[in-house]
Amino acid sequence: MRTYGQYCSVARALDVVGDRWTLLIVREMLTQGPRRFTDLKTGLPGIAANLLTTRLRELEDVGLVRREEAPPPIATTLYQLTDDGLALESVLKALGLWGLRYMGEERDEDSFHMQWLAIAPEWFSTDTDPSGPPATIEVIATGEHAVIELGGGRIHSRVGRATDPDLVLEGTPRAVLGVLTGVLTLDRAKELGLVANGRLDVLDRIKPVTSTP
Amino acid sequence: MRTYGQYCSVARALDVVGDRWTLLIVREMLTQGPRRFTDLKTGLPGIAANLLTTRLRELEDVGLVRREEAPPPIATTLYQLTDDGLALESVLKALGLWGLRYMGEERDEDSFHMQWLAIAPEWFSTDTDPSGPPATIEVIATGEHAVIELGGGRIHSRVGRATDPDLVLEGTPRAVLGVLTGVLTLDRAKELGLVANGRLDVLDRIKPVTSTP
DNA sequence: CCGGATCCAATTCGATACTG
DNA sequence: CAGTATCGAATTGGATCCGG
Protein backbone atom coordinates (compact mmCIF):
# COMPACT_ATOMS: atom_id res chain seq x y z
CA MET A 1 0.00 0.00 0.00
CA ARG A 2 1.84 3.06 -1.28
CA THR A 3 1.17 6.17 0.79
CA TYR A 4 0.93 9.80 -0.23
CA GLY A 5 2.61 10.78 3.02
CA GLN A 6 0.34 13.73 3.66
CA TYR A 7 -1.35 14.58 6.94
CA CYS A 8 -4.71 15.17 5.21
CA SER A 9 -7.79 13.04 5.62
CA VAL A 10 -8.48 12.89 1.88
CA ALA A 11 -4.96 11.65 1.22
CA ARG A 12 -5.22 9.20 4.13
CA ALA A 13 -8.48 7.84 2.74
CA LEU A 14 -6.89 7.39 -0.67
CA ASP A 15 -3.92 5.68 0.95
CA VAL A 16 -6.37 3.01 2.09
CA VAL A 17 -8.92 2.74 -0.71
CA GLY A 18 -7.29 4.57 -3.59
CA ASP A 19 -5.68 1.59 -5.28
CA ARG A 20 -7.11 0.24 -8.47
CA TRP A 21 -10.14 -2.09 -7.98
CA THR A 22 -10.36 -1.49 -4.23
CA LEU A 23 -13.51 0.64 -4.19
CA LEU A 24 -15.21 -1.64 -6.71
CA ILE A 25 -14.55 -4.63 -4.46
CA VAL A 26 -16.13 -2.65 -1.64
CA ARG A 27 -19.07 -1.83 -3.92
CA GLU A 28 -19.71 -5.52 -4.47
CA MET A 29 -19.81 -6.39 -0.79
CA LEU A 30 -21.72 -3.24 0.11
CA THR A 31 -24.52 -3.82 -2.36
CA GLN A 32 -24.59 -7.61 -2.20
CA GLY A 33 -23.57 -8.56 1.30
CA PRO A 34 -21.06 -11.29 2.18
CA ARG A 35 -19.57 -12.83 -0.96
CA ARG A 36 -17.37 -15.74 -1.90
CA PHE A 37 -14.11 -15.20 -3.78
CA THR A 38 -15.68 -16.47 -6.97
CA ASP A 39 -18.76 -14.28 -6.59
CA LEU A 40 -16.52 -11.24 -6.29
CA LYS A 41 -14.52 -12.30 -9.31
CA THR A 42 -17.72 -12.71 -11.32
CA GLY A 43 -19.00 -9.31 -10.24
CA LEU A 44 -15.72 -7.66 -11.23
CA PRO A 45 -15.15 -8.57 -14.87
CA GLY A 46 -11.54 -8.00 -15.82
CA ILE A 47 -9.90 -8.32 -12.41
CA ALA A 48 -7.04 -10.80 -12.22
CA ALA A 49 -7.43 -13.48 -9.57
CA ASN A 50 -4.11 -12.68 -7.95
CA LEU A 51 -5.00 -9.01 -7.71
CA LEU A 52 -8.31 -9.84 -6.05
CA THR A 53 -6.42 -12.00 -3.57
CA THR A 54 -4.00 -9.19 -2.85
CA ARG A 55 -6.71 -6.55 -2.44
CA LEU A 56 -8.80 -8.73 -0.13
CA ARG A 57 -5.81 -9.36 2.08
CA GLU A 58 -4.99 -5.63 2.17
CA LEU A 59 -8.58 -4.78 3.04
CA GLU A 60 -8.49 -7.38 5.78
CA ASP A 61 -5.22 -6.00 7.13
CA VAL A 62 -6.60 -2.47 7.44
CA GLY A 63 -9.80 -3.75 9.03
CA LEU A 64 -12.33 -3.00 6.30
CA VAL A 65 -13.05 -6.62 5.45
CA ARG A 66 -13.54 -9.65 7.66
CA ARG A 67 -13.26 -13.16 6.32
CA GLU A 68 -15.49 -15.77 7.78
CA GLU A 69 -15.23 -19.50 7.31
CA ALA A 70 -18.78 -20.54 6.58
CA PRO A 71 -19.79 -23.78 8.28
CA PRO A 72 -20.87 -26.86 6.31
CA PRO A 73 -22.74 -27.44 4.09
CA ILE A 74 -21.41 -24.24 2.50
CA ALA A 75 -17.85 -24.86 3.68
CA THR A 76 -16.35 -21.87 1.99
CA THR A 77 -14.92 -18.55 3.08
CA LEU A 78 -17.12 -15.49 2.92
CA TYR A 79 -15.82 -11.94 2.68
CA GLN A 80 -17.82 -9.19 4.34
CA LEU A 81 -17.38 -5.56 5.25
CA THR A 82 -16.68 -4.43 8.79
CA ASP A 83 -18.34 -1.29 10.16
CA ASP A 84 -15.46 0.81 8.85
CA GLY A 85 -15.96 -0.78 5.45
CA LEU A 86 -19.70 -0.19 5.51
CA ALA A 87 -19.01 3.47 6.29
CA LEU A 88 -17.65 3.79 2.74
CA GLU A 89 -21.24 3.84 1.49
CA SER A 90 -21.28 7.65 1.52
CA VAL A 91 -18.11 7.70 -0.59
CA LEU A 92 -19.53 5.27 -3.15
CA LYS A 93 -22.79 7.22 -3.27
CA ALA A 94 -20.98 10.48 -3.91
CA LEU A 95 -18.79 8.89 -6.58
CA GLY A 96 -21.71 7.16 -8.25
CA LEU A 97 -23.84 10.27 -8.24
CA TRP A 98 -21.05 12.27 -9.79
CA GLY A 99 -20.38 9.49 -12.30
CA LEU A 100 -23.95 9.52 -13.59
CA ARG A 101 -22.90 12.28 -15.98
CA TYR A 102 -20.83 9.71 -17.85
CA MET A 103 -23.62 7.14 -18.21
CA GLY A 104 -25.01 8.77 -21.34
CA GLU A 105 -22.83 6.69 -23.62
CA GLU A 106 -23.04 2.92 -23.64
CA ARG A 107 -19.85 1.39 -25.00
CA ASP A 108 -20.05 -1.93 -26.75
CA GLU A 109 -17.26 -3.45 -24.70
CA ASP A 110 -18.91 -2.53 -21.41
CA SER A 111 -19.91 -5.35 -19.13
CA PHE A 112 -23.19 -5.08 -17.29
CA HIS A 113 -24.69 -6.60 -14.18
CA MET A 114 -28.20 -5.90 -13.00
CA GLN A 115 -27.08 -5.12 -9.47
CA TRP A 116 -25.22 -2.07 -10.74
CA LEU A 117 -28.44 -0.71 -12.20
CA ALA A 118 -30.62 -1.81 -9.30
CA ILE A 119 -28.72 0.25 -6.78
CA ALA A 120 -29.15 3.46 -8.80
CA PRO A 121 -32.69 4.48 -7.76
CA GLU A 122 -31.99 3.52 -4.15
CA TRP A 123 -28.87 5.66 -4.02
CA PHE A 124 -29.52 8.44 -6.50
CA SER A 125 -33.28 8.98 -6.51
CA THR A 126 -35.93 9.97 -4.03
CA ASP A 127 -39.66 9.36 -3.66
CA THR A 128 -41.32 12.77 -3.87
CA ASP A 129 -44.57 11.37 -2.45
CA PRO A 130 -43.49 9.79 0.84
CA SER A 131 -47.08 9.42 2.01
CA GLY A 132 -48.14 7.80 -1.24
CA PRO A 133 -49.14 4.13 -1.43
CA PRO A 134 -46.44 1.46 -1.77
CA ALA A 135 -45.58 0.75 -5.39
CA THR A 136 -43.53 -1.90 -7.14
CA ILE A 137 -41.63 -1.55 -10.39
CA GLU A 138 -40.13 -4.49 -12.21
CA VAL A 139 -37.13 -3.71 -14.35
CA ILE A 140 -35.78 -5.87 -17.17
CA ALA A 141 -32.53 -5.23 -19.01
CA THR A 142 -30.33 -7.63 -20.97
CA GLY A 143 -32.54 -10.47 -19.73
CA GLU A 144 -31.93 -9.78 -16.04
CA HIS A 145 -34.63 -8.66 -13.60
CA ALA A 146 -34.77 -6.28 -10.68
CA VAL A 147 -37.44 -4.94 -8.38
CA ILE A 148 -37.79 -1.33 -7.23
CA GLU A 149 -40.08 -0.75 -4.27
CA LEU A 150 -41.40 2.65 -3.20
CA GLY A 151 -43.02 3.24 0.16
CA GLY A 152 -42.75 5.36 3.27
CA GLY A 153 -40.49 7.81 1.50
CA ARG A 154 -37.88 5.15 0.84
CA ILE A 155 -36.78 3.48 -2.37
CA HIS A 156 -35.48 -0.04 -2.05
CA SER A 157 -34.20 -2.20 -4.85
CA ARG A 158 -32.97 -5.73 -5.32
CA VAL A 159 -32.15 -8.15 -8.11
CA GLY A 160 -34.92 -10.62 -8.86
CA ARG A 161 -38.50 -10.84 -10.05
CA ALA A 162 -41.59 -9.12 -8.68
CA THR A 163 -45.02 -10.56 -8.10
CA ASP A 164 -47.76 -8.37 -9.51
CA PRO A 165 -45.75 -5.17 -10.14
CA ASP A 166 -47.50 -1.85 -10.72
CA LEU A 167 -45.20 -1.08 -13.60
CA VAL A 168 -42.82 -3.03 -15.80
CA LEU A 169 -39.91 -1.33 -17.57
CA GLU A 170 -37.85 -3.10 -20.19
CA GLY A 171 -35.06 -1.73 -22.32
CA THR A 172 -31.36 -1.15 -22.57
CA PRO A 173 -29.48 -0.44 -19.34
CA ARG A 174 -29.10 3.16 -20.41
CA ALA A 175 -32.80 3.73 -21.12
CA VAL A 176 -33.90 2.07 -17.89
CA LEU A 177 -31.27 3.87 -15.82
CA GLY A 178 -32.26 7.14 -17.40
CA VAL A 179 -35.89 7.04 -16.30
CA LEU A 180 -35.05 5.65 -12.84
CA THR A 181 -32.63 8.47 -12.12
CA GLY A 182 -34.53 11.21 -13.83
CA VAL A 183 -31.86 12.08 -16.37
CA LEU A 184 -34.10 10.92 -19.23
CA THR A 185 -37.73 11.80 -19.76
CA LEU A 186 -40.05 8.88 -20.42
CA ASP A 187 -40.54 10.08 -23.99
CA ARG A 188 -36.82 10.28 -24.59
CA ALA A 189 -36.32 6.82 -23.11
CA LYS A 190 -39.04 5.41 -25.35
CA GLU A 191 -37.15 6.80 -28.33
CA LEU A 192 -34.22 4.74 -27.07
CA GLY A 193 -36.38 1.64 -27.11
CA LEU A 194 -37.82 1.57 -23.61
CA VAL A 195 -41.08 -0.37 -23.21
CA ALA A 196 -43.24 0.62 -20.24
CA ASN A 197 -46.35 -1.27 -19.18
CA GLY A 198 -48.56 -0.38 -16.23
CA ARG A 199 -49.05 2.64 -14.01
CA LEU A 200 -46.79 5.22 -15.60
CA ASP A 201 -47.72 7.78 -12.95
CA VAL A 202 -45.48 5.97 -10.49
CA LEU A 203 -42.51 7.36 -12.40
CA ASP A 204 -43.59 10.90 -11.53
CA ARG A 205 -42.80 10.16 -7.88
CA ILE A 206 -39.14 9.44 -8.68
CA LYS A 207 -36.81 12.43 -8.78
CA PRO A 208 -33.04 12.71 -8.65
CA VAL A 209 -31.54 13.50 -5.25
CA THR A 210 -30.00 16.94 -5.01
CA SER A 211 -26.32 16.81 -5.63
CA THR A 212 -24.95 18.57 -2.57
CA PRO A 213 -25.33 16.66 0.69
CA MET B 1 -6.74 6.32 -18.85
CA ARG B 2 -7.40 2.65 -18.29
CA THR B 3 -11.10 1.81 -18.05
CA TYR B 4 -12.89 -0.77 -15.97
CA GLY B 5 -15.31 -1.37 -18.83
CA GLN B 6 -18.37 -1.55 -16.63
CA TYR B 7 -21.68 0.18 -17.24
CA CYS B 8 -21.85 1.41 -13.63
CA SER B 9 -21.61 5.01 -12.53
CA VAL B 10 -19.14 4.25 -9.73
CA ALA B 11 -16.84 2.47 -12.17
CA ARG B 12 -17.26 5.28 -14.69
CA ALA B 13 -16.35 7.85 -12.06
CA LEU B 14 -13.25 5.87 -11.15
CA ASP B 15 -12.36 5.59 -14.83
CA VAL B 16 -12.09 9.37 -14.82
CA VAL B 17 -10.72 10.26 -11.37
CA GLY B 18 -9.49 6.92 -10.04
CA ASP B 19 -5.88 7.23 -11.13
CA ARG B 20 -3.20 7.94 -8.59
CA TRP B 21 -2.87 11.66 -7.65
CA THR B 22 -5.90 12.75 -9.67
CA LEU B 23 -8.25 13.46 -6.76
CA LEU B 24 -5.50 15.19 -4.82
CA ILE B 25 -4.87 17.50 -7.76
CA VAL B 26 -8.59 18.27 -7.75
CA ARG B 27 -8.42 18.88 -3.99
CA GLU B 28 -5.77 21.54 -4.52
CA MET B 29 -7.76 23.47 -7.09
CA LEU B 30 -11.03 23.01 -5.23
CA THR B 31 -9.75 24.36 -1.94
CA GLN B 32 -7.37 26.97 -3.33
CA GLY B 33 -8.85 28.17 -6.59
CA PRO B 34 -6.91 28.59 -9.85
CA ARG B 35 -3.30 27.51 -9.44
CA ARG B 36 -0.08 27.60 -11.37
CA PHE B 37 1.83 24.45 -12.23
CA THR B 38 4.40 25.16 -9.57
CA ASP B 39 1.77 25.91 -6.94
CA LEU B 40 0.23 22.52 -7.60
CA LYS B 41 3.58 20.81 -7.43
CA THR B 42 4.31 22.50 -4.10
CA GLY B 43 0.92 21.51 -2.71
CA LEU B 44 1.44 17.90 -3.75
CA PRO B 45 4.72 16.83 -2.15
CA GLY B 46 6.05 13.72 -3.81
CA ILE B 47 4.41 14.03 -7.22
CA ALA B 48 6.77 13.87 -10.18
CA ALA B 49 6.61 16.80 -12.55
CA ASN B 50 5.94 14.63 -15.58
CA LEU B 51 3.08 12.89 -13.82
CA LEU B 52 1.52 16.22 -12.89
CA THR B 53 1.80 17.25 -16.52
CA THR B 54 0.13 14.05 -17.64
CA ARG B 55 -2.69 14.27 -15.11
CA LEU B 56 -3.45 17.90 -15.91
CA ARG B 57 -3.67 17.10 -19.58
CA GLU B 58 -5.99 14.15 -18.88
CA LEU B 59 -8.19 16.29 -16.66
CA GLU B 60 -8.31 18.89 -19.37
CA ASP B 61 -9.20 16.28 -22.00
CA VAL B 62 -12.18 15.01 -19.98
CA GLY B 63 -13.34 18.54 -19.27
CA LEU B 64 -12.71 18.78 -15.54
CA VAL B 65 -9.93 21.33 -15.78
CA ARG B 66 -9.57 24.43 -17.90
CA ARG B 67 -6.23 26.09 -18.49
CA GLU B 68 -6.15 29.80 -18.82
CA GLU B 69 -3.30 31.94 -20.02
CA ALA B 70 -3.13 34.72 -17.49
CA PRO B 71 -2.41 38.12 -19.03
CA PRO B 72 0.64 40.17 -18.09
CA PRO B 73 1.99 40.99 -15.60
CA ILE B 74 1.38 37.39 -14.41
CA ALA B 75 2.04 35.91 -17.84
CA THR B 76 1.63 32.32 -16.78
CA THR B 77 -0.93 29.59 -17.26
CA LEU B 78 -3.48 28.97 -14.54
CA TYR B 79 -5.30 25.70 -14.02
CA GLN B 80 -8.84 25.81 -12.70
CA LEU B 81 -11.76 23.45 -12.30
CA THR B 82 -14.74 23.51 -14.61
CA ASP B 83 -18.27 23.03 -13.24
CA ASP B 84 -17.91 19.26 -13.64
CA GLY B 85 -14.67 19.45 -11.71
CA LEU B 86 -16.18 21.57 -8.96
CA ALA B 87 -18.94 18.98 -8.64
CA LEU B 88 -16.33 16.61 -7.21
CA GLU B 89 -16.54 18.53 -3.94
CA SER B 90 -19.10 16.07 -2.57
CA VAL B 91 -16.77 13.18 -3.40
CA LEU B 92 -13.81 14.81 -1.66
CA LYS B 93 -15.96 15.65 1.36
CA ALA B 94 -17.18 12.09 1.67
CA LEU B 95 -13.65 10.72 1.29
CA GLY B 96 -12.19 13.21 3.74
CA LEU B 97 -14.89 12.60 6.32
CA TRP B 98 -14.34 8.86 6.08
CA GLY B 99 -10.59 9.35 6.23
CA LEU B 100 -10.74 11.26 9.52
CA ARG B 101 -10.61 7.90 11.28
CA TYR B 102 -7.03 7.54 10.13
CA MET B 103 -5.87 10.95 11.36
CA GLY B 104 -5.22 9.70 14.88
CA GLU B 105 -1.64 8.80 14.08
CA GLU B 106 0.84 11.39 12.90
CA ARG B 107 3.70 9.79 11.05
CA ASP B 108 7.06 11.51 11.13
CA GLU B 109 7.48 11.36 7.37
CA ASP B 110 4.12 13.01 6.72
CA SER B 111 4.14 16.34 4.96
CA PHE B 112 1.74 19.00 6.14
CA HIS B 113 0.20 22.13 4.66
CA MET B 114 -2.08 24.41 6.58
CA GLN B 115 -4.71 24.41 3.85
CA TRP B 116 -5.34 20.70 4.45
CA LEU B 117 -6.14 21.46 8.08
CA ALA B 118 -8.04 24.66 7.36
CA ILE B 119 -10.61 22.93 5.18
CA ALA B 120 -11.48 20.41 7.89
CA PRO B 121 -13.90 22.45 10.04
CA GLU B 122 -15.54 23.90 6.92
CA TRP B 123 -16.15 20.47 5.47
CA PHE B 124 -16.48 18.19 8.47
CA SER B 125 -17.92 20.33 11.25
CA THR B 126 -21.05 22.33 11.85
CA ASP B 127 -21.96 25.33 13.97
CA THR B 128 -24.57 24.15 16.45
CA ASP B 129 -25.54 27.73 17.29
CA PRO B 130 -26.44 29.23 13.91
CA SER B 131 -28.02 32.28 15.52
CA GLY B 132 -25.02 32.91 17.74
CA PRO B 133 -22.73 35.88 17.23
CA PRO B 134 -19.92 35.72 14.66
CA ALA B 135 -16.73 34.31 16.10
CA THR B 136 -13.18 34.06 14.85
CA ILE B 137 -10.62 31.42 15.73
CA GLU B 138 -6.98 31.71 14.80
CA VAL B 139 -5.17 28.43 14.35
CA ILE B 140 -1.41 27.95 14.45
CA ALA B 141 0.37 24.71 13.61
CA THR B 142 3.96 24.11 12.48
CA GLY B 143 4.34 27.86 12.21
CA GLU B 144 1.54 28.34 9.70
CA HIS B 145 -1.65 30.28 10.41
CA ALA B 146 -5.30 29.86 9.49
CA VAL B 147 -8.56 31.56 10.36
CA ILE B 148 -11.84 29.83 11.15
CA GLU B 149 -14.92 32.03 11.08
CA LEU B 150 -18.30 31.06 12.51
CA GLY B 151 -21.44 32.96 11.71
CA GLY B 152 -24.94 32.51 10.34
CA GLY B 153 -24.70 28.76 10.75
CA ARG B 154 -21.73 28.53 8.43
CA ILE B 155 -18.11 27.75 9.10
CA HIS B 156 -15.61 29.31 6.76
CA SER B 157 -11.87 28.88 6.87
CA ARG B 158 -8.84 30.21 5.09
CA VAL B 159 -5.09 30.25 5.39
CA GLY B 160 -3.69 33.44 6.91
CA ARG B 161 -3.77 35.56 10.05
CA ALA B 162 -6.73 36.97 11.92
CA THR B 163 -7.17 40.40 13.42
CA ASP B 164 -8.44 40.29 16.98
CA PRO B 165 -9.57 36.63 17.13
CA ASP B 166 -11.89 35.40 19.88
CA LEU B 167 -9.75 32.33 20.39
CA VAL B 168 -6.25 31.24 19.43
CA LEU B 169 -5.34 27.57 19.16
CA GLU B 170 -1.76 26.44 18.77
CA GLY B 171 -0.42 22.91 18.69
CA THR B 172 0.43 19.98 16.50
CA PRO B 173 -1.72 19.41 13.42
CA ARG B 174 -3.28 16.41 15.12
CA ALA B 175 -4.23 18.26 18.31
CA VAL B 176 -5.68 21.23 16.43
CA LEU B 177 -7.53 19.03 13.95
CA GLY B 178 -8.91 16.98 16.80
CA VAL B 179 -10.63 19.86 18.56
CA LEU B 180 -11.84 21.44 15.33
CA THR B 181 -13.53 18.25 14.17
CA GLY B 182 -14.74 17.11 17.56
CA VAL B 183 -12.79 13.84 17.63
CA LEU B 184 -10.69 15.08 20.57
CA THR B 185 -11.96 16.75 23.72
CA LEU B 186 -10.22 19.95 24.69
CA ASP B 187 -8.69 18.22 27.72
CA ARG B 188 -7.35 15.41 25.60
CA ALA B 189 -5.92 17.87 23.08
CA LYS B 190 -4.22 19.79 25.87
CA GLU B 191 -2.56 16.57 26.95
CA LEU B 192 -1.21 16.41 23.41
CA GLY B 193 0.25 19.87 23.82
CA LEU B 194 -2.52 22.14 22.58
CA VAL B 195 -2.44 25.70 23.86
CA ALA B 196 -5.76 27.56 23.81
CA ASN B 197 -6.10 31.25 24.62
CA GLY B 198 -9.37 33.19 24.57
CA ARG B 199 -13.05 32.32 24.61
CA LEU B 200 -13.03 28.57 24.98
CA ASP B 201 -16.84 28.43 24.86
CA VAL B 202 -16.66 29.02 21.11
CA LEU B 203 -15.43 25.45 20.76
CA ASP B 204 -18.68 24.15 22.20
CA ARG B 205 -20.47 25.41 19.10
CA ILE B 206 -18.41 23.15 16.83
CA LYS B 207 -19.67 19.62 16.37
CA PRO B 208 -18.86 16.95 13.78
CA VAL B 209 -21.29 16.66 10.89
CA THR B 210 -23.32 13.47 10.91
CA SER B 211 -21.73 10.90 8.72
CA THR B 212 -24.61 9.94 6.44
CA PRO B 213 -25.66 12.63 3.95
C1' DC C 1 -16.13 -26.03 -9.18
C1' DC C 2 -13.56 -23.19 -5.33
C1' DG C 3 -9.68 -20.45 -3.71
C1' DG C 4 -5.99 -19.35 -4.59
C1' DA C 5 -0.42 -19.43 -6.20
C1' DT C 6 3.00 -18.67 -9.77
C1' DC C 7 5.03 -16.72 -13.75
C1' DC C 8 5.65 -13.29 -17.28
C1' DA C 9 4.54 -9.42 -20.35
C1' DA C 10 2.66 -4.81 -20.48
C1' DT C 11 1.79 -0.66 -18.29
C1' DT C 12 2.41 2.90 -14.98
C1' DC C 13 5.01 5.43 -11.61
C1' DG C 14 8.94 7.90 -9.48
C1' DA C 15 13.42 10.15 -9.43
C1' DT C 16 16.64 12.66 -11.58
C1' DA C 17 18.47 15.42 -15.04
C1' DC C 18 17.84 18.71 -18.46
C1' DT C 19 15.78 22.75 -21.45
C1' DG C 20 13.61 27.14 -23.12
C1' DC D 1 8.83 29.02 -13.87
C1' DA D 2 6.95 25.37 -16.59
C1' DG D 3 7.52 21.84 -18.15
C1' DT D 4 10.43 17.31 -21.21
C1' DA D 5 13.27 13.31 -21.45
C1' DT D 6 14.96 9.26 -19.77
C1' DC D 7 15.22 5.09 -17.37
C1' DG D 8 14.87 1.79 -13.55
C1' DA D 9 11.35 0.21 -10.16
C1' DA D 10 6.88 -1.07 -8.97
C1' DT D 11 2.26 -2.36 -10.14
C1' DT D 12 -1.08 -4.56 -12.96
C1' DG D 13 -3.12 -7.89 -16.31
C1' DG D 14 -3.53 -12.40 -18.29
C1' DA D 15 -2.70 -17.05 -18.47
C1' DT D 16 -1.79 -21.21 -16.42
C1' DC D 17 -1.41 -24.52 -12.84
C1' DC D 18 -2.65 -26.88 -8.49
C1' DG D 19 -4.56 -28.95 -4.08
C1' DG D 20 -9.10 -29.78 -1.85
Side-chain angles (χ1 to χ4, degrees), chain A residues 53-120:
Chain A
T53 300
T54 303
R55 288 287 179 274
L56 285 171
R57 201 178 310 280
E58 289 167 347
L59 286 169
E60 202 187 339
D61 289 345
V62 294
L64 301 185
V65 161
R66 191 171 42 232
R67 47 188 295 165
E68 194 141 328
E69 308 293 331
I74 306 178
T76 185
T77 68
L78 290 176
Y79 295 89
Q80 59 187 300
L81 293 174
T82 63
D83 286 346
D84 280 348
L86 290 169
L88 282 166
E89 179 171 323
S90 57
V91 173
L92 289 179
K93 278 188 181 178
L95 262 176
L97 185 59
W98 183 81
L100 279 180
R101 71 195 66 216
Y102 298 107
M103 299 300 278
E105 50 160 343
E106 254 175 323
R107 312 190 197 103
D108 283 347
E109 333 82 69
D110 274 354
S111 55
F112 173 74
H113 286 299
M114 183 48 104
Q115 62 255 31
W116 302 338
L117 192 158
I119 202 65

Side-chain angles (χ1 to χ4, degrees), chain B residues 172-205:
Chain B
T172 63
R174 181 184 167 201
V176 175
L177 178 70
V179 294
L180 291 179
T181 57
V183 301
L184 288 183
T185 62
L186 183 56
D187 286 346
R188 184 82 188 87
K190 282 181 174 173
E191 288 172 25
L192 293 170
L194 185 81
V195 177
N197 283 308
R199 294 199 22 228
L200 296 176
D201 60 297
V202 174
L203 289 178
D204 297 331
R205 290 169 61 173

